[in-house]
Amino acid sequence: MEIIYVLEGMMSFLVGKRWLDAPAASFLRIPAGVTHDFENRGTERACALNFFTPGGFEAMMPAIVDYFRE
């Protein structure tokens, strides 16, 4: 499961097949196994904090960085 807290700005999250707009101070809970993505569609800075439970996801982060680099 992933829990996201939007710290500032407005962020858009794709959860499954649905886009959700989340302003600052929003919480989102995304169940494990649900495809998701995010973007800042505005012109202002946006920031979010992600929590993953159970732990272990952090081991995948280098591969994600490589994916975006390509």
Side-chain angles (χ1 to χ4, degrees), residues 13-20 28 30-31 34-37:
F13 293 90
L14 176 64
V15 181
K17 295 181 180 181
R18 183 175 165 205
W19 280 99
L20 304 169
L28 287 89
I30 302 174
V34 174
T35 301
H36 60 284
D37 199 354

